[in-house]
Amino acid sequence: MTSETTPTPAAVRLTARPHPLDGFDQAISDFDGVVQEMTVLFARQRWPGTVLEPWLYEDNGTPVAAALVMVQKLPAALGHLAVVKWGPILRDETAPARIAMHQAAVDHLVAEYARGRGMMLSIMAHAEREPALHAAERLWGMGFRPGSALLFPSRYLVRVRLSDADQRASYSQKWRYHLNKSEKQGLTFEPAGPEALPRFSALYDAMSERKRFPDYSAYHTLPHLMAWDSPALRPQLFFVTHQGRDVAGAVIFTAGRTAVYLYGATNEQALPLRAGYFMHARIIAWLRDECRAEWYDLGGTDGFQGLHQFKSGMVGSAGRIVPVPPIGNYAVSWRARLSGTLAYAARDGFQKLRAFRNRLLSRGLARPNQDQQP
């Protein structure tokens, strides 16, 4: 990268303050970069074996950045690993000093965990929607080393602040064709509150049994998220109905500048009705009109070509398909680097073994069929 595309930030001085677990989620609820992985509620359910350490970074007493660090004890007395997933996050991702604030937060994490406590620090940077932070490039420049990477790293990002006409024009021709067909099927779009979770669960369970996709998701955390006492962070439910029956549903994390597609489900009627096209087009319009999101993160494909075709058509000409960078690892001592590297190697090996076992033991389980990334 050149200095033109990866600018060197002017230094800023932020005050790092440890924050109590209780109240941290509320403190970051209005941040542009807030994601569920950066919340205490989600992390407690998803990674119960870790010690959670929240940090707020203040500029003249005003919080401008935050990080939730997960400290994982390694087996055989090998030490500890400090992990920051999709962070540090910023309150204002468009602030002139955004790059400097992000780097100041990373500098503190290096000083606190890698230098001060002798751990390997692992930071997972976002797939960047726009050249706003240059986070991954700067991690490498700071001495972080690329670690584990996703087999299918592409993330599909839709711009949501377009007019209806411009949004429709952005979709691929084939996606637009299916959307037009779906709009003639008598479908109804319905946002719903947390009380409708049993409706979504019924769709999700039926779909999982029908499609036989391997599910390694954090779906078990959803009841806790839907019961969040912070309305700003509580995911939003959506349904598409046909003749009074639910045929498709979605759960979207709508806080922050980027809305995130968490879970989706359809029944056997959805495909001929093209309900997925109808639902996502209506979700995009809802996000534009009802929240402050500028982007809609559709997630990845897990290697399934059909998902790639569907999501890339929705991203269209106005959106972006960008890769999630490898994990960035920083360690001062050889012991910390070795123990952390071994821990990731064991985790990656376990995941590959689990996938291989599922292919052998499952009957008809869907397998990845996407040979190349876009």
Side-chain angles (χ1 to χ4, degrees):
M1 285 286 181
T2 67
S3 59
E4 184 177 52
T5 55
T6 309
T8 300
V12 298
R13 300 189 67 175
L14 301 181
T15 302
R17 299 190 186 281
H19 196 284
L21 290 172
D22 292 341
F24 179 71
D25 293 353
Q26 186 61 39
I28 65 171
S29 63
D30 64 345
F31 276 43
D32 279 358
V34 65
V35 288
Q36 66 167 358
E37 288 86 356
M38 195 57 59
T39 64
V40 171
L41 178 62
F42 177 80
R44 276 175 168 166
Q45 303 300 323
R46 180 59 164 158
W47 301 287
T50 61
V51 175
L52 304 179
E53 299 186 2
W55 293 89
L56 281 182
Y57 300 94
E58 298 177 351
D59 182 14
N60 292 321
T62 300
V64 295
L68 179 65
V69 182
M70 297 180 289
V71 178
Q72 176 70 57
K73 185 178 181 180
L74 301 177
L78 290 176
H80 295 78
L81 187 67
V83 180
V84 178
K85 189 166 185 178
W86 312 141
I89 60 173
L90 300 180
R91 177 186 290 277
D92 183 357
E93 292 183 339
T94 65
R98 61 187 180 274
I99 295 176
M101 290 187 292
H102 185 270
Q103 182 151 339
V106 173
D107 286 341
H108 163 260
L109 295 171
V110 168
E112 175 72 24
Y113 292 95
R115 300 189 185 280
R117 303 195 204 177
M119 303 179 186
M120 177 186 274
L121 170 66
S122 297
I123 294 182
M124 304 179 189
H126 264 298
E128 292 207 58
R129 303 142 304 199
E130 54 203 329
L133 294 177
H134 308 276
E137 291 89 341
R138 285 185 297 101
L139 289 179
W140 315 144
M142 295 171 65
F144 282 77
R145 297 183 182 179
S148 299
L150 297 176
L151 181 59
F152 298 96
S154 290
R155 288 300 178 267
Y156 298 73
L157 306 170
V158 180
R159 292 184 186 270
V160 300
R161 306 226 67 83
L162 305 178
S163 67
D164 289 339
D166 288 344
Q167 191 70 65
R168 189 174 288 259
S170 172
Y171 300 140
S172 72
Q173 182 178 3
K174 187 173 182 180
W175 210 92
R176 203 160 50 241
Y177 167 82
H178 288 297
L179 175 60
N180 291 336
K181 290 287 187 180
S182 74
E183 292 173 335
K184 301 175 182 178
Q185 302 298 322
L187 300 173
T188 301
F189 176 73
E190 175 192 348
E195 71 283 352
L197 181 58
R199 291 170 57 187
F200 182 82
S201 296
L203 277 172
Y204 190 88
D205 292 343
M207 182 194 70
S208 299
E209 179 63 27
R210 185 179 77 254
K211 290 191 173 183
R212 299 189 61 80
F213 281 117
D215 189 355
Y216 306 132
S217 73
Y219 184 72
H220 68 280
T221 68
L222 186 54
H224 300 276
L225 302 184
M226 297 307 299
W228 227 323
D229 57 6
S230 173
L233 295 174
R234 194 180 301 141
Q236 176 67 49
L237 283 167
F238 299 97
F239 294 95
V240 170
T241 61
H242 182 253
Q243 297 179 351
R245 182 187 180 192
D246 292 333
V247 295
V251 182
I252 313 296
F253 186 80
T254 61
R257 195 161 165 255
T258 300
V260 181
Y261 176 63
L262 299 181
Y263 308 102
T266 58
N267 70 6
E268 69 282 352
Q269 285 185 297
L271 184 60
L273 292 171
R274 298 172 171 86
Y277 296 88
F278 183 87
M279 178 175 70
H280 281 284
R282 297 306 186 269
I283 287 174
I284 291 168
W286 188 95
L287 292 172
R288 181 197 62 204
D289 296 340
E290 302 297 334
C291 69
R292 64 190 184 96
E294 297 181 23
W295 294 88
Y296 178 28
D297 184 347
L298 303 174
T301 66
D302 290 329
F304 293 98
Q305 181 65 19
L307 284 177
H308 163 66
Q309 292 174 343
F310 179 78
K311 292 184 177 183
S312 61
M314 193 188 336
V315 166
S317 59
R320 301 192 72 202
I321 301 176
V322 290
V324 175
I327 296 172
N329 296 320
Y330 191 103
V332 174
S333 71
W334 68 266
R335 179 182 177 88
R337 186 172 299 283
L338 177 61
S339 61
T341 301
L342 290 175
Y344 279 116
R347 185 203 66 173
D348 294 346
F350 169 77
Q351 291 177 345
K352 291 178 181 178
L353 181 62
R354 179 179 63 181
F356 178 71
R357 180 202 63 189
N358 286 342
R359 288 197 298 269
L360 289 179
L361 299 181
S362 63
R363 298 177 180 176
L365 191 68
R367 299 186 184 187
N369 58 357
Q370 185 180 352
D371 294 330
Q372 297 181 348
Q373 286 287 275

